[in-house]
Amino acid sequence: MTAPTVTVTAPTAARASRGLWGDAARRLLRNRPAIVGLICIAIFISAAILAPVIAPYGPLAGTLAERYQPPSLQHLMGTDTQGRDEFTRVLYGAQVSLQVGVIAVFLALFMGGVIGAIAGGLGGKIDAVLMRIVDVLLAIPGILLAIGIIAWLDRGMLQLMLAIAITYVPVFARLLRGSLLALREADYVLAARSIGASRVRILLRHMLPNALTPLIVSATLVLATAIIDIAGLGFLGLGPPDPRTAEWGTMLTDARKFLELAPWLVYFPGLAIVISAIGFNLVGDGLRESLDPRLRR
Amino acid sequence: MLKYIVRRLLGAIPVLFGLSFILFAFVHLLPGDPSRAILGQHATPEAVARLRANLGLDQPLYVQYFTYLGQLLRGDFGASIINNRPVLSEFAVRFPGTVELTAAALIFSIGVGIPLGRLAARHAQGWIDGGVTVLSLVGISIPVFVLGLVFVHIFAVELGWLPTQGRLDPRARLDIVTNFMLIDTLIAGKFGLFVDALRHLVLPAIALGSIPLAIIARITRASVLDVSNEDYVRTARAKGLRERRVDNRHIMRNAWLPVVTVIGLQVGGLLGGAVLTETVFVWNGVGRWVVDAIGNRDYFVVQGTVMIFALIFLAVNLVVDIGYAFLNPRIRYS
């Protein structure tokens, strides 16, 4: 006796599904503000990567005789207080912001993710203790925490990354914990529990993947604020240890004293920061809409 | 209601302990020795040892922590390494400058942000809405210090409409009573100086208020749109109420809650942003003081100020949450 073959047709939509990410990417590309954002990010990233190739001068090259030159064909963005080419330095500045920003956000995502996963996944006393720690970090307003950390750890690239990262750990920890708590009562988690899956397995295989999307959205938005914070710390003189480093915030500190003489030294690095931040803000908003179809209006 | 307030107050206690512990750890557990940092790399070992003993750094850590905690409870936030003045009193002298600035920024951001958000919601999807959306995007994407520098360049350097820096004309003679310039000038009865103080306040307040403005406008728009779709709003319109009455009585009353929450959340950002704004505008407040302290490696000033800032921030959040619970009974009983 042969068993009747049963063909199961999945209730797919007429359009072939490309999975969550494929769909999200397609929706993102149909979102006009998000495209503008992607272009901004593309400019930012290519400036960082291609700086050594496109930059017409070295980031530290310049003589005092050539300082304060207004924008011209030789110096597209003029020259700074030391006679260095501003365009070159804006390009190299993107490297610092990109490196520090991305690494800091990943660090924050990792630390916050671990705290949030443990708190939201296990609950109980551990949750209560971890959330109190997060509350403590949240009690120190934003950039002040970063300022405090660098003041203690001294200036340095690693310190800069760590300072920015720690500022955003509470954001990610709370977010992940919140989504995990909401997922605990989801039907598929109940189902997994009822067939005897272990807590760790349920957490890692069933709950985490479903809690990732808000985390990704918020990481993109945090990257925008992280870039602004890095520049802010640089502006306060807490940026990269070598004051000659081309970093947008540090460049603005120099520019501040010569606002009457060379205002372009404020506008170009400022514009660079704004473009990068706008890019990540627009893409973050776009991702939120495309990853969560319920949010679309 | 009282139960809720007590619960929130009790909840703040472990946070305060945690905070004191973290700030303590910053000074004592990390590599680097404050006394070494104070005296510099070339100090003799004897001098370092003497300072360590003076600062109590030769005691066991737990003793140091409890000493520190005891000082905190007595309102002693340490003293400056540079001039030995107590942090709290120095803070108190400069704090009015920061409050004046942040309050002006908050008033500006609320006063402009809410009407903008309402306007955008009323003309949703139109060009006004689009304009407000773009404005708020730029608002959250532009750092306060960049906006501040651009303002100084345009309105002070180029147009000469407003002063570039400071809180008052440096030639002005004024008795400092409260260190709120707007109040002190009025106490002295010098109306001209009051206007001068106001003129000094305009640029920094707008620069600092730009981010909260953007966020408040966004939230107001979203919240008003949300409420506008409710059945009771349609009912109100259907029964022939004037649009203005529907707006004020049915929509705004219910749209306030998220807006109030967000306004409360801005205070922390404003305090942080004040540090940068004060640096741009050479504004005599707590922010510039902290930045100078970092430059001078005056660790205890930084530690004390962060602690005081956190206390203020916690207190503000508490007040906002209580206000929120007052407005929304559902919070109280959860």
Side-chain angles (χ1 to χ4, degrees):
Chain A
M1 202 167 108
T2 50
T5 47
V6 180
T7 41
V8 179
T9 44
T12 44
R15 199 174 347 112
S17 170
R18 289 161 211 178
L20 172 70
W21 293 105
D23 276 348
R26 224 182 25 209
R27 274 199 293 267
L28 191 67
L29 290 178
R30 262 198 259 125
N31 181 335
R32 213 174 297 159
I35 297 214
V36 175
L38 283 174
I39 293 172
C40 292
I41 295 179
I43 295 174
F44 171 52
I45 293 179
S46 38
I49 295 174
L50 298 177
V53 186
I54 8 179
Y57 304 88
L60 300 177
T63 58
L64 287 182
E66 295 170 287
R67 63 188 163 164
Y68 308 133
Q69 287 183 15
S72 66
L73 280 179
Q74 278 82 43
H75 299 285
L76 286 176
M77 297 181 181
T79 58
D80 72 358
T81 54
Q82 309 291 318
R84 297 168 296 201
D85 181 53
E86 187 74 356
F87 178 56
T88 304
R89 290 177 65 76
V90 168
L91 289 177
Y92 276 95
Q95 285 187 342
V96 178
S97 295
L98 184 68
Q99 271 174 20
V100 177
V102 168
I103 295 177
V105 170
F106 268 107
L107 264 176
L109 209 49
F110 178 74
M111 294 190 278
V114 169
I115 295 176
I118 295 175
L122 301 180
K125 283 212 179 88
I126 301 176
D127 179 29
V129 170
L130 286 177
M131 282 305 111
R132 285 296 86 72
I133 296 176
V134 167
D135 282 348
V136 171
L137 286 179
L138 275 178
I140 307 175
I143 201 168
L144 262 179
L145 181 60
I147 290 175
I149 292 170
I150 295 186
W152 296 120
L153 293 182
D154 217 345
R155 285 164 47 167
M157 292 301 257
L158 203 66
Q159 287 90 324
L160 196 56
M161 292 169 191
L162 207 62
I164 304 273
I166 292 178
T167 316
Y168 291 104
V169 165
V171 177
F172 295 127
R174 279 205 159 176
L175 191 65
L176 186 59
R177 171 180 177 268
S179 347
L180 289 179
L181 284 183
L183 285 177
R184 268 174 150 179
E185 308 306 322
D187 286 340
Y188 57 85
V189 173
L190 208 65
R193 204 177 295 146
S194 64
I195 59 167
S198 73
R199 268 166 108 175
V200 176
R201 190 185 160 84
I202 293 176
L203 180 62
L204 292 180
R205 294 293 297 269
H206 299 277
M207 290 166 77
L208 265 187
N210 286 292
L212 276 183
T213 45
L215 220 53
I216 290 166
V217 169
S218 123
T220 316
L221 294 171
V222 161
L223 205 45
T225 15
I227 289 171
I228 292 176
D229 288 349
I230 295 166
L233 290 170
F235 183 70
L236 292 176
L238 299 172
D242 184 349
R244 294 173 307 165
T245 311
E247 189 276 326
W248 293 336
T250 317
M251 289 160 67
L252 284 167
T253 316
D254 300 338
R256 181 178 152 245
K257 296 166 213 148
F258 301 95
L259 202 52
E260 284 174 59
L261 203 59
W264 60 88
L265 295 180
V266 164
Y267 285 89
F268 291 120
L271 202 62
I273 302 171
V274 174
I275 289 177
S276 329
I278 283 186
F280 288 105
N281 274 326
L282 283 177
V283 171
D285 284 344
L287 272 177
R288 186 194 348 244
E289 282 168 34
S290 60
L291 282 171
D292 189 352
R294 277 166 302 181
L295 263 175
R296 283 189 301 165
R297 296 224 171 102
Chain B
M1 195 66 205
L2 193 68
K3 234 168 113 185
Y4 175 80
I5 297 176
V6 170
R7 201 173 69 208
R8 287 300 316 264
L9 279 176
L10 289 178
I13 292 174
V15 174
L16 290 178
F17 274 107
L19 200 62
S20 70
F21 186 76
I22 286 183
L23 287 175
F24 174 79
F26 267 149
V27 196
H28 297 280
L29 299 184
L30 294 169
D33 179 347
S35 46
R36 175 63 73 182
I38 296 163
L39 295 172
Q41 290 306 319
H42 305 294
T44 59
E46 294 80 46
V48 172
R50 211 174 322 126
L51 187 66
R52 283 180 62 86
N54 269 340
L55 295 172
L57 294 174
D58 53 349
Q59 305 274 326
L61 273 180
Y62 68 93
V63 175
Q64 290 187 45
Y65 177 65
F66 283 110
T67 314
Y68 171 64
L69 207 58
Q71 287 172 341
L72 280 185
L73 290 177
R74 273 179 275 123
D76 177 359
F77 289 85
S80 161
I81 289 169
I82 308 289
N83 54 22
N84 213 22
R85 294 208 188 115
V87 171
L88 188 62
S89 60
E90 291 286 292
F91 185 96
V93 171
R94 290 168 176 84
F95 194 49
T98 304
V99 173
E100 200 167 56
L101 175 60
T102 43
L106 198 62
I107 291 169
F108 164 74
S109 59
I110 294 172
V112 179
I114 290 179
L116 267 188
R118 289 178 72 170
L119 199 67
R122 194 174 307 146
H123 304 279
Q125 310 302 337
W127 65 269
I128 294 182
D129 186 24
V132 172
T133 307
V134 170
L135 199 73
S136 65
L137 173 71
V138 174
I140 54 167
S141 304
I142 191 165
V144 279
F145 53 97
V146 171
L147 195 61
L149 289 171
V150 169
F151 280 172
V152 171
H153 177 237
I154 296 177
F155 297 105
V157 175
E158 290 295 324
L159 297 171
W161 290 352
L162 293 162
T164 52
Q165 58 175 29
R167 297 181 63 191
L168 204 62
D169 189 330
R171 289 161 300 181
R173 302 197 136 270
L174 181 72
D175 297 323
I176 300 301
V177 186
T178 60
N179 208 6
F180 287 97
M181 287 303 163
L182 293 180
I183 297 176
D184 282 356
T185 49
L186 286 182
I187 291 177
K190 293 176 174 165
F191 192 70
L193 281 185
F194 175 79
V195 173
D196 185 55
L198 211 53
R199 278 161 46 86
H200 278 83
L201 190 55
V202 172
L203 292 181
I206 295 179
L208 181 57
S210 65
I211 291 183
L213 167 78
I215 296 172
I216 290 170
R218 261 191 176 192
I219 290 289
T220 308
R221 174 187 179 274
S223 178
V224 168
L225 278 181
D226 255 8
V227 177
S228 303
N229 290 329
E230 293 285 344
D231 290 340
Y232 55 78
V233 173
R234 193 161 17 122
T235 309
R237 288 213 173 96
K239 71 183 185 192
L241 288 186
R242 290 226 181 98
E243 195 50 38
R244 230 177 115 164
R245 200 175 161 83
V246 176
D247 225 30
N248 290 330
R249 296 291 289 272
H250 295 79
I251 297 180
M252 278 325 282
R253 279 208 177 173
N254 290 291
W256 274 120
L257 284 175
V259 179
V260 170
T261 318
V262 158
I263 291 174
L265 289 175
Q266 297 315 305
V267 174
L270 280 172
L271 287 177
V275 177
L276 290 158
T277 316
E278 287 175 11
T279 308
V280 173
F281 290 95
V282 198
W283 186 269
N284 201 356
V286 176
R288 267 187 68 216
W289 185 51
V290 175
V291 173
D292 288 345
I294 292 170
N296 295 332
R297 298 178 169 274
D298 201 342
Y299 289 157
F300 296 113
V301 166
V302 181
Q303 183 190 36
T305 315
V306 172
M307 186 76 199
I308 300 172
F309 257 139
L311 283 177
I312 293 166
F313 190 39
L314 280 174
V316 170
N317 278 342
L318 196 67
V319 170
V320 171
D321 282 356
I322 290 170
Y324 192 68
F326 188 72
L327 286 172
N328 186 358
R330 272 170 291 184
I331 302 280
R332 263 175 273 164
Y333 302 112
S334 65

